[in-house]
Each structure stands twice: as structure tokens, then as C-alpha cells.
Amino acid sequence: MPENWVDKLVWWKKTTIYQVYPRSYKDSSNNGIGDIPGIISKLDYLQDLGIETIWFSPFFASPQADHGYDISGYRSIAPEYGTMADCNRLIEEIHSRDMRIVLDMVLNHTSNQHPWFLESRSSRENQKRDWYIWCDGRKPGGKKPPNNWLSMVGGSGWHYDDLTEQWYWAQFLPFQPDLNYRNPKVKEEMFDTVRYWLDKGIDGFRLDIINTIYEGTDVGKNNPFALQFLPSEDNRRSFFQDHVHTINHPDNFVFVKELRKVMNEFSDPERFLVGEVGASLETLRRYYGEAEGNATNGLHLTFHLQSLNARLDAQAFRNLISRYEQHFPEPYIPTWVFSNHDQTRRISKLSNDQSKAKLNATLQLTARGVPFIYYGEEIGLVNSKFPLKGAQDPVAVRFSWLPQFFVNLLTRNGSVLLNRDECRTPMQWDSSSHAGFCPAEVEPWLPVGPQHETINVRAEEPNPDSLLNCYKALLRLRRDTPALHSGSMNLVEPSANKKELLVYERKYDHQSVEVWLNFSRKQIENRTPGNYDRVLFSTLRGSRPIHSSTITLQPYQGVVLEKQKTA
Ligand code: GLC
């Protein structure tokens, strides 16, 4: 092996990714809204935490109707977040700390305030008309949408525009019209935008709803009925419709390969794409493309959203891991996602219990796959509870007519989040009235979450048993242990009466580590072959899990053990 062989392993496969929601991270201009200079002031914190790559939700020019997921200028920065000079400094400051930067690219749609759309809607003859998807309505009169296609958030995805008496298509909310990728000029422009940011040194992109880039060309065809109301990760059905013509259209699989070629124009370092795709594992795999040597030829990664609502249960994770291993063997690699800006925070699905969160983190940072940590996850930031009425989140506003009992029913276990404000509250830096996010005299854009007096960085840093220090230890261990960041994964079958135990072995070269996770409220004892060198990590500091040939795990304890070298 060459001296620096660990450095040569593909960086984006072994990295750890932290998502920053810029609006909520750190306000430096004292207006209650997070911004880029605020983020820069926290880069030392992220470096010290042990994060290797940072993904930013969009901070491009935008009317902020969907807080940046409605872009009106792909090569400029929203003034509330800073300037292009701030952005350049952000890139530099991240790189100077040996970290990487990932931007959120919303290719599917723009804001309806984007100059392209303003032009496009101005007349049927405008040269930008076919940059978007316009269509006549149904006869007679054309006042009915062209077909029954529903948007992702329910309701028709077609919207009538009086001025030109046609309908435009929007996969998400009406103010987010879809770009028309069947027009080569659109594709060229967006690929050039990608190149523009790669030239600036961006290391990768998170691709917003990339599975909706194309729709069927025959608008005469309706989507079929399906007996399913809520969306799920296993199929493309929702709102009693199977979205065959609008989600995971076969042309998307070709598109991601074209985009991959653009990424491949840039090397040293290699850049990567991670796609937001809610779909079955079979479909996710199609987005990765086919294996060519030690890489695939589509997206480098997709989010595996299957874990979001996985029960904290050994059997559930055993199944998930074995399905991931079956569908994503090298050179494919899964991802581990438990929280993001659209979902109930994981800890709130675990009754806000820190010991369960530590167990969950141990799995996330030691199983094979690229982990994504959502800001605040490392300190145990919990979801807030806000009514739909008065929400800032446009999805919540859309559903604010729903009767409260129905909202309670839908959201009772956290697997459906109607008001995304609840998981976007300010980062909690200290115990001051606005948690150090903004000064006390300024109103933050969303109220600070509950228990910020104790759940905050400053309080947790000196406490060796805090969740924050658990994350730090895990992140360091993972970074320094090739078996954990790049090794193979083998599930170890539990003894018949130890079903609450999940054990797996990670191996790289001669290094072998075992991860033991107790998913139960009870202490578990198990015999071991007794060939462990060291306890590399434990969620319970000071515990001695191994005695001669017995391993004893406390409730919800997780440990990482180094096995004796095999050669
Ligand atoms: C994605 C984003 C979400 C956004 C939507 C529309 O799902 O994660 O926040 O509202 O796309 O861009």
C-alpha cells in the first residue's frame, strides 16, 4: 500500500455531510435571518465537530416564497444572505479548513419571478415561451387543465394564466413553474450554470427533486388512479394517483448521465452529485446508472429516505442494511439520512430521548454509506410545534384549511410533517433568549425551539456525556478508521434470543471493527469469541462492555470494537 493510501480513497464516498439551512444558522446582520457571514463565523465550530463536507440549502437570489427553493437568479446571491464576495469567501474559508462545499441546485423549476418566466408568460410568441411547459386547456373553452396530473403537494400541477390563455406546469407549488428540459437551450443554460459554480470551486451539488425533471410528452394521457393517499418512499403514488407521467419519467435516467458528464469535466478534486429522489431502492439504483469500473455513470449518490421513518429497532435496521447491501454493492453506496429541512427531526421521533439519539448516531456514522447530518442534530435540537395558520412555510399555508383533528391525525407520529417551520427553528448556540442565533432585541424569523437553555452548543461542549461530544467522538473515529469510512459491511446474525441486538462488521484491508448496538430497554449479555483489541467508542463513557468472553450492553448502548488483526 502507498504511504498515503487512505487519502487516495474516493473522498465523497468516505465523507460526512452536514446540512446548513442558511436562514436558521447564524444571523450576523441583526435582522433575525441567518446569513453567509454568520455561517463563516461558525466554520471553526464545524471543523472542530469533525464535519468534512457542508451542504447549504439555497442562498441564491429568490423571492423566498419557498425560502430559496424558488430561485430567480442562479448566479447571484440573495441580499438577505450576503453578496457574491461573501459567497467567494465562504468557499475559500471552507477549503482552507480542508472541508468541502456542496450547493443545492434546483434544476426542476424556477421562481415565477425569474426573468425567464416573466418573459415566458408575457406572450405565446416570446422567445422564452418554450423555456417552460405551456399547454392548451381541455376543450371547449380551454378552461379545464390539460389532464389530471397532480403536483407533488396535491392539487392539479397545471395553472391557468389569463394573459395568454394557456396552462403552465408546476410539479411543486404554483409559484415554482417547471423548466422545459426538452428545449436544448434550457439544458445548455442549466449545465452552464453548473459549470459556473464548479469553476468557482464548488465540490458537489444536492439536486432538488431531480426525479421530476421530465414529464410525459403526450399530455392527452392521464395518470391512473391509485388507492393511496399519502406519499411513500416505496412508490410514486399519492393523492389517489399513480404519477406515472410526472415522477421518475424514463428520460430522467438519461438526463442524470448527461449531467454526470458535465461533472466529469472537472477533476482534482472529483466532484459529486446527490439527488433528492423519493423512490424505491430499485428506482434509486437506476438514478446511479450502471457500474463502469469503480464508479457508476449516473448520480454519485441519492438520498435513501427509507431510514427517515425506520423504527428504532434492530430487526428494522437489519432489514434495511441487508436491502441496501443487496441493491448498492460497490461501486454503489447508500446514504444515511434521518432528518432534513422537510422532515420531523429524528430525535423527536425518538421521544426526544438523547440515549436513543446516541444509538441512532452510532448506526448512522458506522454503517456503510455516506451520512447526512442536519444542523442541530448533533446537539439534539428538537422539533417545535406550530399551528398551520400563520406559518412561513408555503406547504403549511397550502394546507392551513385542514381541520385541526385531521392535522393531528396525519402528523401524530411525525412521519408526515405539514408545517416545515417546525424543523427549521434557529440553531441553538447558547442559553441566551434567542439562543445566540440573533441578539435579544431582534425577533428571529422563527421562534427559538423548546429547551434551548439546556440544548445548546455552549452547554454541551464542556459536558463529556453530551450528545454533541458523542457526535464529535464518532466523527473523529470514522474519519480515522478506514474500515468505517470505506470498509465492507457484514451483518452478523444474532443469537436466537438476542433479536434486539444489531451487530455488524466493517473491514478494510487488515483492519476489522465490529459495531454492537442494543436497541432495547434492557441490559443484554452475549458471549463473544473474545478476540477484541480495544473498545474504540461507546455511547456510555466509562462503561466496560467486555469481560473475558462476555459482552454486556446497557439499554440503548452502542459500542465500536476493534478486532485483532487478521494478518
Ligand atoms: C424539495 C426541497 C423542499 C422544497 C421542494 C421544492 O423537496 O427539499 O424544501 O420545498 O423541493 O423545491
Side-chain angles (χ1 to χ4, degrees):
M1 285 282 168
E3 283 262 296
N4 56 349
W5 59 276
V6 172
D7 296 339
K8 297 255 182 286
L9 295 170
V10 185
W11 75 266
W12 54 265
K13 275 192 177 175
K14 62 175 183 172
T15 197
T16 47
I17 305 183
Y18 184 93
Q19 179 188 0
V20 168
Y21 195 69
R23 210 173 181 78
S24 300
Y25 209 56
K26 173 70 187 161
D27 171 21
S28 78
S29 60
N30 302 341
N31 63 355
I33 296 176
D35 48 50
I36 297 175
I39 294 166
I40 294 175
S41 72
K42 295 298 181 187
L43 291 179
D44 287 340
Y45 162 76
L46 289 172
Q47 186 183 26
D48 178 54
L49 176 58
I51 295 297
E52 293 164 54
T53 299
I54 314 172
W55 145 37
F56 295 96
S57 283
F59 46 53
F60 307 109
S62 159
Q64 305 293 335
D66 189 12
H67 301 123
Y69 286 94
D70 50 325
I71 298 175
S72 56
Y74 286 84
R75 303 183 194 193
S76 42
I77 306 297
E80 55 268 64
Y81 295 141
T83 60
M84 189 56 92
D86 292 327
C87 176
N88 293 340
R89 194 155 70 84
L90 178 71
I91 300 171
E92 250 175 65
E93 295 269 358
I94 289 179
H95 284 160
S96 72
R97 288 170 177 79
D98 262 342
M99 296 192 286
R100 312 273 188 179
I101 170 167
V102 169
L103 295 189
D104 209 316
M105 202 28 86
V106 187
L107 296 178
N108 180 70
H109 51 268
T110 69
S111 156
N112 63 354
Q113 299 307 307
H114 195 296
W116 301 336
F117 189 71
L118 296 179
E119 270 200 57
S120 181
R121 87 189 311 177
S122 66
S123 90
R124 289 194 187 200
E125 285 70 45
N126 187 279
Q127 43 150 2
K128 290 261 173 358
R129 184 66 171 181
D130 58 355
W131 277 48
Y132 294 84
I133 301 159
W134 290 98
C135 198
D136 286 332
R138 264 177 284 170
K139 306 248 173 325
K143 289 286 173 67
K144 283 200 172 146
N147 54 39
N148 75 348
W149 299 354
L150 298 180
S151 75
M152 260 185 175
V153 279
S156 175
W158 293 105
H159 305 282
Y160 189 70
D161 200 47
D162 280 327
L163 187 66
T164 54
E165 298 180 325
Q166 276 194 317
W167 298 74
Y168 68 88
W169 170 250
Q171 179 63 249
F172 211 71
L173 289 163
F175 57 80
Q176 291 161 311
D178 274 37
L179 282 164
N180 174 16
Y181 281 87
R182 300 199 186 276
N183 177 349
K185 287 193 186 134
V186 170
K187 207 194 278 182
E188 203 181 292
E189 167 66 29
M190 297 314 278
F191 284 180
D192 276 348
T193 302
V194 163
R195 289 188 184 96
Y196 169 84
W197 286 104
L198 292 173
D199 266 333
K200 274 186 172 291
I202 294 304
D203 298 292
F205 297 102
R206 178 258 188 194
L207 302 170
D208 194 66
I209 51 172
I210 195 69
N211 57 337
T212 61
I213 287 286
Y214 284 103
E215 295 71 40
T217 45
D218 187 350
V219 288
K221 288 193 177 147
N222 279 329
N223 278 336
F225 171 81
L227 198 57
Q228 184 177 323
F229 178 63
L230 292 175
S232 100
E233 258 51 77
D234 297 325
N235 57 53
R236 57 180 160 196
R237 300 193 279 270
S238 62
F239 305 110
F240 299 115
Q241 185 167 104
D242 191 354
H243 302 243
V244 291
H245 299 298
T246 53
I247 298 185
N248 297 329
H249 189 279
D251 293 346
N252 294 344
F253 303 118
V254 180
F255 178 82
V256 292
K257 289 183 182 169
E258 292 173 312
L259 186 55
R260 173 65 177 255
K261 289 204 174 115
V262 176
M263 301 302 284
N264 290 349
E265 291 167 20
F266 296 77
S267 52
D268 199 21
E270 203 180 313
R271 321 294 170 98
F272 83 98
L273 297 168
V274 53
E276 186 199 14
V277 178
S280 66
L281 298 185
E282 289 75 10
T283 307
L284 291 189
R285 171 144 169 165
R286 291 188 68 190
Y287 280 99
Y288 281 72
E290 293 81 43
E292 285 179 356
N294 63 357
T296 66
N297 60 3
L299 301 181
H300 303 70
L301 300 169
T302 64
F303 291 124
H304 284 51
L305 302 176
Q306 282 68 13
S307 47
L308 286 174
N309 294 317
R311 277 177 303 121
L312 195 75
D313 171 280
Q315 191 55 41
F317 280 109
R318 198 173 293 123
N319 289 344
L320 204 53
I321 290 172
S322 65
R323 286 173 60 217
Y324 285 1
E325 289 307 298
Q326 183 196 339
H327 289 279
F328 298 93
E330 279 287 337
Y332 298 81
I333 183 162
T335 57
W336 287 99
V337 188
F338 288 100
S339 300
N340 65 32
H341 64 293
D342 297 328
Q343 304 289 338
T344 304
R345 287 177 175 274
R346 178 68 171 173
I347 194 165
S348 295
K349 292 177 187 159
L350 306 178
S351 336
N352 294 340
D353 179 326
Q354 299 238 346
S355 48
K356 291 182 184 171
K358 286 180 182 171
L359 181 76
N360 201 87
T362 310
L363 177 122
Q364 180 178 32
L365 291 165
T366 62
R368 181 177 161 267
V370 179
F372 285 79
I373 299 168
Y374 182 46
Y375 83 92
E377 201 166 355
E378 76 279 19
I379 54 168
L381 200 66
V382 299
N383 255 50
S384 287
K385 204 82 199 117
F386 298 134
L388 294 183
K389 289 213 170 56
Q392 308 246 10
D393 173 21
V395 172
V397 171
R398 183 181 180 94
F399 290 112
S400 57
W401 56 272
L402 285 175
Q404 193 57 42
F405 80 91
F406 190 58
V407 173
N408 296 344
L409 188 74
L410 280 180
T411 57
R412 69 194 182 287
N413 64 4
S415 59
V416 173
L417 184 65
L418 286 179
N419 186 349
R420 299 177 299 174
D421 291 348
E422 295 180 351
C423 67
R424 297 174 177 177
T425 58
M427 177 63 179
Q428 295 172 187
W429 298 104
D430 60 37
S431 59
S432 63
S433 60
H434 292 144
F437 166 72
C438 63
E441 62 281 8
V442 172
E443 247 349 276
W445 80 282
L446 283 176
V448 167
Q451 299 160 40
H452 80 271
E453 291 86 0
T454 48
I455 303 174
N456 68 66
V457 174
R458 188 175 292 165
E460 293 186 37
E461 257 168 353
N463 173 2
D465 294 319
S466 65
L467 185 57
L468 178 60
N469 279 314
C470 171
Y471 268 92
K472 269 192 196 175
L474 281 167
L475 284 161
R476 276 184 176 60
L477 177 66
R478 182 187 158 93
R479 191 187 53 203
D480 299 340
T481 313
L484 287 180
H485 61 63
S486 302
S488 60
M489 170 74 146
N490 280 305
L491 282 167
V492 178
E493 273 308 310
S495 4
N497 57 349
K498 302 283 160 49
K499 293 284 183 213
E500 310 92 335
L501 204 57
L502 177 63
V503 183
Y504 46 85
E505 182 183 26
R506 306 288 319 273
K507 252 184 163 170
Y508 192 91
D509 199 21
H510 296 309
Q511 185 181 53
S512 163
V513 302
E514 266 186 23
V515 181
W516 288 65
L517 304 169
N518 175 5
F519 281 81
S520 79
R521 281 186 261 140
K522 291 179 293 192
Q523 176 179 305
I524 297 186
E525 280 193 11
N526 205 77
R527 289 188 69 74
T528 71
N531 60 347
Y532 300 109
D533 268 353
R534 278 189 298 156
V535 179
L536 296 176
F537 167 83
S538 167
T539 53
L540 283 177
R541 280 182 342 110
S543 78
R544 299 209 20 230
I546 301 173
H547 284 281
S548 58
S549 59
T550 304
I551 176 163
T552 308
L553 292 179
Q554 302 307 317
Y556 300 112
Q557 184 176 9
V559 295
V560 182
L561 309 172
E562 183 166 37
K563 286 179 78 179
Q564 273 164 15
K565 299 245 179 317
T566 47

